[in-house]
């Protein structure tokens, strides 16, 4: 049976630990993958996790630390708090973007204390990145990249890459800047490798490049990376000066966070619940109570509508049997439609201008869905209460259509108003569908029964 890498690592780690051979453990860890070591540390008890981390060499330790969860990073920080030299080496070796993300999770007084452990250059870089707004692209970027001048030869550029490339986040893309450090192009490393060494870099340039603005929102980076399918993009200021680069691994983290926030909003949470396992009851209560209370108030209208049709209900008590089935169908249809629209808006597959086109498509689609469901509910009514078959069938068609159109339109409406479309949550749509469903159902019943 094939074992997962972390299982093999744990077995080897346990063997060295039981033999109390830390030197052998360090030599073994030299050959382990940083991401796999991080995954192993996440599964170990606190003492063993700290022991494994402390035997790692400086560069490997920094790579492992960058792959750990925020919780595990904080635990190791407490372990290293008394080891000033070890902690300084770790922070100075970390890549600037990962170090910024780590500092962001800490209380400000702890961050200020740790900044003092950085050397002069790394401290300046960290302070500059932390100065950007919290959700800006500047917080994601790293200053570890390779830049060359357009009047250099390919040979000189390759020599420069050999000298500083080891300290760069990536050398797949080389950035061309002028003497004022204004970005003028980006070139793939293969362009240098395949070119004649005596060729000037300017001869390789086409000046077609994509750059991010340091003060733009991080969601912009996600959409641009998707559009251009890049592994790294340059970051400039408003004047076009090169500030750093953003790599795809950091953008994937942003995309995951944004998707989590949208998912929670669609479930009517006030905002994202990052880790429900670790969250306190009070924290979860605060995140959930607001929308739940609002939705209770909204659903009061359903009861008010039902009261207005007491005579209709008394005349045909069988109508009550089908009420939950019908209004739930409208809410389900609306939630389906909203989910599809939210996904399309989030991925850039649909825009505000597409609303009317999608509406024209949703009308016949919802009619077809409603008719199919009406056949099913009519068959049930045939056994339960044949006298209300036309009422429940016509109501099912109407409710499914209304729910679907509400579910489609709300995300576009919220987008138009400048509100996050994910706020058009499933419970909100269901509540609207409930109120309209009750009104439609008993209005049709009253008309059909001649009351």
């Amino acid at each position: 049976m094939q074992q997962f890498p972390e299982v093999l690592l744990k077995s080897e780690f346990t063997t060295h630990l039981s033999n109390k051979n830390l030197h052998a453990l360090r030599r073994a860890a030299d050959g382990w993958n940083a991401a796999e070591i991080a995954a192993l540390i996440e599964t170990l008890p606190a003492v063993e996790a700290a022991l494994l981390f402390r035997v790692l060499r400086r560069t490997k330790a920094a790579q492992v630390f960058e792959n750990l969860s925020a919780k595990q990073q904080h635990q190791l920080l407490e372990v290293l708090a008394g080891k000033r030299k070890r902690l300084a080496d770790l922070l100075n070796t970390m890549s600037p973007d990962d170090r910024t993300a780590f500092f962001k999770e800490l209380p400000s007084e702890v961050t200020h204390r740790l900044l003092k452990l950085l050397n002069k250059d790394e401290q300046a870089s960290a302070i500059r990145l932390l100065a950007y707004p919290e959700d800006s692209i500047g917080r994601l970027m790293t200053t570890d990249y390779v830049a060359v001048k357009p009047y250099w030869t390919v040979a000189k550029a390759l020599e420069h890459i050999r000298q500083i490339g080891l300290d760069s986040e990536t050398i797949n893309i080389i950035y061309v800047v002028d003497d004022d450090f204004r970005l003028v192009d980006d070139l793939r490393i293969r362009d240098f490798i395949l070119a004649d060494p005596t060729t000037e870099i300017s001869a390789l340039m086409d000046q077609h490049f994509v750059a991010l603005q340091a003060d733009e929102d991080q969601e912009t980076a996600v959409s641009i990376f998707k559009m251009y399918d890049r592994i790294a993009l340059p970051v400039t200021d408003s004047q076009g000066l090169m500030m750093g680069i953003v790599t795809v691994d950091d953008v994937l983290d942003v995309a995951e966070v944004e998707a989590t926030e949208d998912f929670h909003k669609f479930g009517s949470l006030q905002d994202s619940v990052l880790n429900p396992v670790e969250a306190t009851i009070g924290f979860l209560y605060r995140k959930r109570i607001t929308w739940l209370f609002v939705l209770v108030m909204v659903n009061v209208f359903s009861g008010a509508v039902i009261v207005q049709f007491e005579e209709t209900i008394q005349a045909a008590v069988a109508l009550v049997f089908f009420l939950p089935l019908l209004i739930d169908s409208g809410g389900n249809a609306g939630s389906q439609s909203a989910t599809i629209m939210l996904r399309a808006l989030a991925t850039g597959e649909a825009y505000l201008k597409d609303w009317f086109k999608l509406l024209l498509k949703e009308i016949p689609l919802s009619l077809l869905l409603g008719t199919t469901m009406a056949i099913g509910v009519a068959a049930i009514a045939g056994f339960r209460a044949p006298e209300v078959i036309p009422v429940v069938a016509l109501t099912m068609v109407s409710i499914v259509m209304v729910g679907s159109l509400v579910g489609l339109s709300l995300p576009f409406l919220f987008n138009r108003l400048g509100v996050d479309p994910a706020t058009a949550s499933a419970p909100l749509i269901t509540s609207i569908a409930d109120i309209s469903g009750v009104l439609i159902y008993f209005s049709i019943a009253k008309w059909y029964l001649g009351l």
Side-chain angles (χ1 to χ4, degrees), residues 171-182:
I171 60 170
N172 291 322
I173 303 295
I174 308 299
Y175 301 94
V176 186
V177 296
D178 62 18
D179 288 335
D180 295 324
F181 232 75
R182 185 174 285 103

Side-chain angles (χ1 to χ4, degrees), residues 358-369:
L358 290 167
L359 183 68
L360 292 179
K361 184 178 293 186
E362 188 71 16
I363 291 173
L365 173 60
S366 60
L367 176 61
L368 182 61
L369 292 170

Side-chain angles (χ1 to χ4, degrees), residues 104-225:
K104 184 180 69 172
E105 299 294 332
L106 299 174
S108 58
E109 62 272 13
V110 177
T111 298
H112 290 152
R113 190 163 66 246
L114 295 180
L115 283 171
K116 295 177 181 179
L117 299 178
L118 299 174
N119 62 45
K120 185 177 179 180
D121 291 340
E122 294 297 337
Q123 187 179 93
S125 173
I127 292 173
R128 185 168 65 253
L129 295 179
L130 287 169
Y132 286 102
E134 185 171 348
D135 293 324
S136 67
I137 289 173
R139 282 289 188 98
L140 292 178
M141 73 180 183
T142 177
T143 52
D144 292 340
Y145 62 92
V146 179
V148 297
K149 300 297 177 64
Y151 49 80
W152 288 2
T153 63
V154 168
K156 182 176 181 179
L158 288 173
E159 180 62 29
H160 179 68
I161 293 168
R162 293 188 191 98
Q163 290 176 358
I164 68 171
L166 286 176
D167 297 325
S168 299
E169 186 87 0
T170 177
I171 60 170
N172 291 322
I173 303 295
I174 308 299
Y175 301 94
V176 186
V177 296
D178 62 18
D179 288 335
D180 295 324
F181 232 75
R182 185 174 285 103
L183 180 65
V184 293
D185 208 349
D186 58 2
L187 299 171
R188 296 171 299 176
I189 188 65
R190 64 173 292 177
D191 295 330
F192 292 85
I193 296 173
L194 299 177
D196 188 293
T198 61
T199 303
E200 284 195 358
I201 292 175
S202 58
L204 306 178
M205 294 166 47
D206 59 10
Q207 297 186 341
H208 292 157
F209 63 92
V210 180
L212 302 169
Q213 291 280 314
D215 57 355
E216 287 182 316
D217 190 89
Q218 292 176 359
E219 288 191 58
T220 304
V222 176
S223 60
I224 292 179
F225 265 87

Side-chain angles (χ1 to χ4, degrees), residues 329-382:
S329 297
N332 292 338
S335 296
Q336 277 190 344
S337 183
T339 301
I340 295 171
M341 290 306 106
L342 283 170
R343 173 64 181 167
L345 287 170
T347 58
E349 295 170 357
Y351 298 92
L352 193 59
K353 62 183 178 64
D354 298 316
W355 172 77
F356 188 68
K357 178 181 179 181
L358 290 167
L359 183 68
L360 292 179
K361 184 178 293 186
E362 188 71 16
I363 291 173
L365 173 60
S366 60
L367 176 61
L368 182 61
L369 292 170
T371 301
T372 304
M373 296 170 71
I375 293 173
V377 76
I380 296 172

Side-chain angles (χ1 to χ4, degrees), residues 175-318:
Y175 301 94
V176 186
V177 296
D178 62 18
D179 288 335
D180 295 324
F181 232 75
R182 185 174 285 103
L183 180 65
V184 293
D185 208 349
D186 58 2
L187 299 171
R188 296 171 299 176
I189 188 65
R190 64 173 292 177
D191 295 330
F192 292 85
I193 296 173
L194 299 177
D196 188 293
T198 61
T199 303
E200 284 195 358
I201 292 175
S202 58
L204 306 178
M205 294 166 47
D206 59 10
Q207 297 186 341
H208 292 157
F209 63 92
V210 180
L212 302 169
Q213 291 280 314
D215 57 355
E216 287 182 316
D217 190 89
Q218 292 176 359
E219 288 191 58
T220 304
V222 176
S223 60
I224 292 179
F225 265 87
K226 288 180 181 178
M227 183 181 300
Y228 292 97
D229 196 23
R230 298 294 187 93
I231 61 169
L233 282 173
V235 181
T236 65
D237 66 5
S238 58
Q239 305 301 315
L241 298 180
M242 184 79 177
M243 306 299 294
I245 65 171
V246 172
T247 52
V248 68
D249 58 323
D250 296 310
V251 172
L252 288 174
D253 291 339
V254 173
E256 181 181 2
V257 170
E258 295 296 337
T260 301
E261 289 179 353
D262 288 349
F263 182 81
H264 286 144
K265 287 178 182 177
F266 195 63
S268 280
L269 289 167
Q270 192 168 349
D271 50 46
S272 179
V273 176
L274 297 180
N275 192 333
V277 175
E278 298 175 9
T280 64
I281 293 176
F283 176 83
L284 293 172
Y285 171 82
R286 291 193 303 272
K287 297 302 179 186
R288 297 174 63 176
I289 189 59
T290 303
W291 263 109
L292 287 177
F293 190 79
V294 169
L295 293 172
V296 166
M297 295 299 101
V298 171
N299 282 320
V300 167
F301 289 104
S302 294
V305 172
I306 292 174
V307 169
Q308 301 302 314
F309 291 95
E310 284 187 8
E311 292 183 5
T312 305
I313 295 173
Q314 291 172 359
V317 178

